[in-house]
Amino acid sequence: MDDIKKILVLEDEAGIRSFVVINLRRSGYEPIEAATGEEALRLLAENDDIGVALLDVMLPDIDGFEVCRRIRASGSRMGIIMLTALSQEMDKVTGLMTGADDYVTKPFSPSELIARVDALYRRLGAADDSSDDEIESGPFVLNKRNRTLDKNGERVKLTQTEYSLIKLFMENPGRALSREDILENVWGADYNGELKIVDVNIRRLRMKVEDTPTVPVYITTIWGYGYKWGS
Ligand code: CA
């Protein structure tokens, strides 16, 4: 990420959209507005330098989850934050399972939204300071220069958040990591969301890296505490 911080704002309610846009501009971002899912997908195709997308869920045409699914299906690793109107757990989980990095529940304050966007940008742009480019573990090779993961020589498509998670695990093999540790490492110390986001992202990551996601052997659960790389 460089200094042009283009953000797509997909929201059909003009009032909320302009409220979001004004606050993003004030914080140094360059918002691009869309009122429908189709418009958002078109703008994303035309602007390949958009770093983050804020996606409302309830839209007049295709819903925000479907927009998210299509962005990920195109191979994009951009940051995605869902704006969920419903406070139901299902809504958040669905959003994260379709490939979103985070969610903000309406109504949200400008400072809450900007904090999430800032945190996501930091994660996307986080430079690796290690001189070791690759970490190998079992069938996995993590390349820190290219921010990629291969399993048995085949590329595993990861979002930036998933990459940050697997990197944390592979750098700490066999070490029990608490959910708080993981949240702080991957989402940042000032992240103000829920701990639950860790579990949902791990569930999603397991679907990509485990042979049998329901019987994980690479990312194992430590009940009542957190997770560990390896058994
Ligand atoms: Ca809406």
Side-chain angles (χ1 to χ4, degrees), residues 126-137:
D128 287 317
D129 42 11
S130 167
S131 53
D132 263 343
D133 277 353
E134 286 192 345
I135 305 177
E136 288 187 41
S137 177

Side-chain angles (χ1 to χ4, degrees), residues 3-61:
D3 16 0
I4 302 168
K5 293 181 165 181
K6 277 195 190 175
I7 299 189
L8 181 93
V9 180
L10 169 57
E11 168 64 66
D12 59 318
E13 283 169 62
I16 299 176
R17 194 171 66 239
S18 58
F19 162 80
V20 169
V21 162
I22 287 164
N23 283 290
L24 286 171
R25 272 208 195 103
R26 217 173 260 160
S27 303
Y29 292 101
E30 191 186 322
I32 295 174
E33 299 178 53
T36 66
E38 294 290 358
E39 190 185 0
L41 290 167
R42 183 175 55 77
L43 287 168
L44 285 167
E46 289 168 1
N47 297 273
D48 59 6
D49 53 348
I50 293 176
V52 165
L54 305 182
L55 307 179
D56 181 31
V57 175
M58 306 284 271
L59 296 163
D61 55 346

Side-chain angles (χ1 to χ4, degrees), residues 179-221:
R179 294 154 88 225
E180 289 83 358
D181 284 342
I182 296 169
L183 191 75
E184 188 173 330
N185 264 282
V186 174
W187 281 267
D190 52 355
Y191 180 80
N192 56 359
E194 299 163 70
L195 210 47
K196 194 177 193 52
I197 197 165
V198 172
D199 304 312
V200 179
N201 272 278
I202 285 184
R203 211 164 99 199
R204 198 173 74 200
L205 184 57
R206 276 175 171 162
M207 289 169 71
K208 297 187 177 184
V209 302
E210 298 286 348
D211 303 329
T212 312
T214 48
V215 190
V217 294
Y218 302 116
I219 303 170
T220 52
T221 301

